Amino acid sequence: MKKRRDRHDAERAVRARLGEALRRKYGDEVPLAVLQRLDEECRRLGRHYESWDIIEIAAEVGDVCRASGFAHDARGGVGNVYAACLLGISRCDPLPGGFDLDSALYLGIDGEERPQKIDINVPLEAMDSLRVHFRDRFTVPDCSEDAVVIDGCVNVLPSTLMSVILMLEHITGVPSDDADLEEAAVYDYLRTGDLSLLPFEADRFRTILAETAPQHFPDSFAEAVTLGGLALGSGDKGERYGSLYREGETLERQIACRDDIFRTFIEHGLEKREALALMKAIRTGEAGKVLSGENGRRLKALGIEDWYLAALKKILYIMPKAHVIGYMTLVMTLIWYKVHFPEVFDGAA
């Protein structure tokens, strides 16, 4: 099949897929809030025609993985987009009642953010199937041992954690979707178990658990995501989380993800566009510049505390929450298998 060249083909295809996904999920009674959210996202996607191509190809990656029995999940801020969840690109539900994430962090307030390649994690075992499919679908994709770049739109990346989970699924006969990530036994294991058994990709999470224990062991998946965000971000001098972690604060109050900063600014009265602009500067280490002078004084006047502003200025990089949710879903799923199938886990991990 030849590559599409007409931007409208990709848009029509994505909109048709979204319609089918809505009917499968909601039947004929789609909640108004869901329709409004998708209309807003499609408006933002429409600002740059490449967005439709990227979304369509990412959805096709998901189709190929599901047909072959492989898990997959998008990395990064695309998990803030409900369309990506509906199309099976991301496993992160950004709606209220799920994780309540704002698609503006990925697409911009008016869709002004230019589309980026979507990174999708898959088990190593899925790479050959994807290469074969997209060689027929387009032209031969750009390949390396570490990734497949499909038509300039999607980076498909092998994940060791996903490969281990795939192995556990096959051996136990229990699909990873059955893992209850709110189960108390999972969080009890964090307090008493040997985290060194987790694969090396989870080392950052192990480190922060060790260094913040026993004060802040998580008791829920939301709290695990907070610790994961701290572990994946970096503070001053390139530390994993450094002084971004505030001793004595609850996990809920820690600055763990970009979304936390954005939401805090809005809750204290900043207009959404300004909150997004400040967050974008802070996320890559520019807080010292944008929070000095008048901005800093105004934020203090709005009630944002000194410790919070000081911590923002030490950020070198901070992840989108959707990315952390995807990562911590894998980590906590592994712990769930460890709790329920310890002998199988020890042989596979």
Side-chain angles (χ1 to χ4, degrees):
M1 187 183 295
K2 292 182 179 179
K3 175 184 172 183
R4 290 192 183 95
R5 293 297 179 186
D6 184 349
R7 61 175 287 189
H8 299 295
D9 286 346
E11 179 178 354
R12 282 192 290 267
V14 171
R15 287 184 179 275
R17 291 180 68 125
L18 285 172
E20 292 169 5
L22 284 172
R23 284 189 289 276
R24 285 195 302 271
K25 182 164 185 175
Y26 298 103
D28 295 328
E29 301 293 330
V30 183
L32 179 60
V34 170
L35 291 174
Q36 291 172 335
R37 168 91 178 214
L38 283 176
D39 284 346
E40 180 66 18
E41 290 184 355
C42 286
R43 182 183 67 80
R44 289 168 172 168
L45 286 167
R47 278 284 300 271
H48 303 286
Y49 72 90
E50 311 100 297
S51 298
W52 299 112
D53 285 323
I54 292 171
I55 292 290
E56 184 190 13
I57 293 171
E60 193 165 339
V61 169
D63 292 344
V64 175
C65 287
R66 282 188 294 274
S68 303
F70 295 119
H72 69 284
D73 197 14
R75 296 172 50 170
V78 72
N80 285 53
V81 180
Y82 187 53
C85 178
L86 271 181
L87 295 176
I89 297 167
S90 167
R91 296 167 66 185
C92 176
D93 179 359
L95 294 185
F99 293 104
D100 195 11
L101 308 178
D102 195 319
S103 64
L105 273 74
Y106 183 74
L107 298 171
I109 301 296
D110 296 312
E112 67 274 9
E113 294 291 325
R114 294 204 68 83
Q116 304 171 11
K117 291 178 185 175
I118 294 176
D119 291 339
I120 298 180
N121 278 341
V122 300
L124 178 62
E125 295 81 355
M127 298 294 276
D128 285 343
S129 297
L130 289 163
R131 287 189 180 100
V132 169
H133 176 86
F134 284 100
R135 184 177 294 119
D136 296 334
R137 173 72 170 80
F138 293 124
T139 55
V140 179
D142 300 326
C143 301
S144 71
E145 292 185 2
D146 300 323
V148 176
V149 183
I150 300 170
D151 200 43
C153 295
V154 182
N155 294 325
V156 181
L157 306 164
S159 164
T160 302
L161 294 182
M162 282 192 165
S163 289
V164 174
I165 289 172
L166 179 66
M167 188 186 309
L168 290 166
E169 287 181 322
H170 288 168
I171 296 173
T172 64
V174 178
S176 58
D177 286 345
D178 286 356
D180 180 1
L181 303 188
E182 298 290 354
E183 187 176 331
V186 171
Y187 298 94
D188 290 341
Y189 180 82
L190 292 180
R191 292 177 171 80
T192 62
D194 181 4
L195 295 176
S196 68
L197 294 174
L198 291 178
F200 71 92
E201 283 187 4
D203 65 343
R204 291 169 288 193
F205 181 61
R206 286 199 303 265
T207 298
I208 195 169
L209 268 180
E211 294 187 9
T212 64
Q215 184 183 6
H216 282 316
F217 278 112
D219 290 314
S220 65
F221 184 70
E223 291 185 345
V225 167
T226 297
L227 284 182
L230 290 166
L232 291 168
S234 59
D236 53 335
K237 300 180 182 177
E239 297 167 356
R240 291 263 193 248
Y241 61 99
S243 51
L244 303 186
Y245 174 79
R246 180 166 171 82
E247 195 70 35
E249 289 294 344
T250 63
L251 282 175
E252 185 179 28
R253 292 259 292 168
Q254 303 296 333
I255 308 169
C257 305
R258 298 175 191 177
D259 310 60
D260 300 330
I261 301 170
F262 181 65
R263 190 183 299 270
T264 295
F265 284 166
I266 291 173
E267 287 174 351
H268 282 79
L270 280 191
E271 186 268 332
K272 199 171 183 180
R273 189 180 301 274
E274 184 179 10
L276 182 61
L278 286 176
M279 185 279 294
K280 285 168 59 178
I282 291 166
R283 75 183 185 191
T284 53
E286 297 296 319
K289 183 190 303 180
V290 299
L291 296 183
S292 61
E294 180 57 31
N295 279 338
R297 288 190 290 272
R298 192 153 54 91
L299 290 172
K300 284 186 65 173
L302 290 173
I304 296 180
E305 297 170 77
D306 288 338
W307 76 264
Y308 195 96
L309 294 173
L312 293 181
K313 292 177 182 178
K314 294 176 181 176
I315 289 174
L316 297 181
Y317 188 75
I318 191 166
M319 287 285 186
K321 192 170 189 176
H323 180 102
V324 181
I325 288 166
Y327 175 76
M328 291 309 301
T329 296
L330 297 179
V331 171
M332 301 309 289
T333 297
L334 284 173
I335 295 174
W336 185 89
Y337 275 108
K338 170 62 180 173
V339 168
H340 289 276
F341 305 96
E343 294 181 0
V344 172
F345 181 93
D346 293 348

